[in-house]
Amino acid sequence: MSTVAALPFNASGYLAGNVTPTLDAGEAGAVSVVSTAALKRDDAVLGGGTLPFAFRNNTGATISHIDFTGTATVDGKVVATGASQGTVPAHVKPGEMGFSYLYLEDVKSLPDSGAQYDFRASTMPADNSSFNTAPLKVTQADNNGSAIIGSAVNSTGKPLSGPYAVDVYCFTDGALSSAGTMDFATETGDVAPDGTVSFSHDLYDSPCDSFVVGVSGYFA
C-alpha cells in the first residue's frame, strides 16, 4: 500500500477562518476520522444531537460526495446511530483533511463521556458531473460577535446550483468544539463561473472566537 503524505490544513484553499488546526495523519489508505468534538444535544423534545468531527483522505484519489455513518457504543452496546450532513471542503485531495458532523437521532442513552464512536465513510470520485458536490472558495469570513458573515466564489470554472451549504466549525484552544452549526447562503439559484454567494451565519450565542468556514453546492 502506497503512503499518502499528510497535507497541511486547507491545502486546496477553499476554507477560511482564523485558526489553523493541526490534526493527526489518519489511517493509511482510508478515509478516516482523526478528531471528534463533544456531543451537542438538541432540546429534550427532539432528543437528537450532533457530533462534529475532522477526517483525512489517505486514499490515492480526490474524493467528493463524502458521506459518513456512525455508531456510538457504551460497554459494547450500541446506544445511538447517525449519518453525516455534508462535508467541507466538498472535494478533498489525497492527504487533505476535511470536516463534517454526524446527526444522531436519539441520544437519550448516550452519556456525555465514555462512549466509543465508530465511523464508516462512502465516497465518489471528484468530478464536475451534474449533481456532484462542488466546493466554493470562501473569500471573506468575519465574526461580528453574533454571526459569521462573508462570501464565497465559484472558482470551479463550471456553473453551480444550490442550495449552498455554509458550515462553521468552532475551536477552543486549538481543539474542535461542539459549537459549530450549518446554515445556507442567501443565494439559491445557479451561480456562473466566478460568480459569488453571500452568507450571514447566526451563532445563536454560542462561543466561536476561533473558527473555520466552508461553502459547498452542486455542479449544475
Side-chain angles (χ1 to χ4, degrees), residues 110-207:
L110 187 57
D112 290 331
S113 62
Q116 172 70 43
Y117 291 98
D118 295 298
F119 298 84
R120 179 176 296 178
S122 64
T123 68
M124 292 177 58
D127 57 31
N128 56 17
S129 58
S130 294
F131 304 113
N132 204 350
T133 54
L136 288 84
K137 182 177 181 180
V138 181
T139 52
Q140 177 195 335
D142 298 311
N143 186 339
N144 71 358
S146 60
I148 305 294
I149 300 175
S151 59
V153 63
N154 173 13
S155 60
T156 67
K158 301 291 183 179
L160 304 183
S161 62
Y164 302 96
V166 181
D167 293 285
V168 173
Y169 292 89
C170 305
F171 294 79
T172 301
D173 297 328
L176 190 62
S177 80
S178 60
T181 54
M182 190 272 280
D183 205 339
F184 292 95
T186 304
E187 294 77 11
T188 59
D190 290 354
V191 173
D194 299 321
T196 61
V197 300
S198 57
F199 55 87
S200 181
H201 193 307
D202 198 322
L203 294 173
Y204 299 102
D205 298 321
S206 297

Side-chain angles (χ1 to χ4, degrees), residues 11-12 38 48 52-53 82 89 94 98 102 112 114 140 148 210:
S12 294
F53 62 89
L102 288 183
D112 290 331
Q140 177 195 335
I148 305 294
S210 300

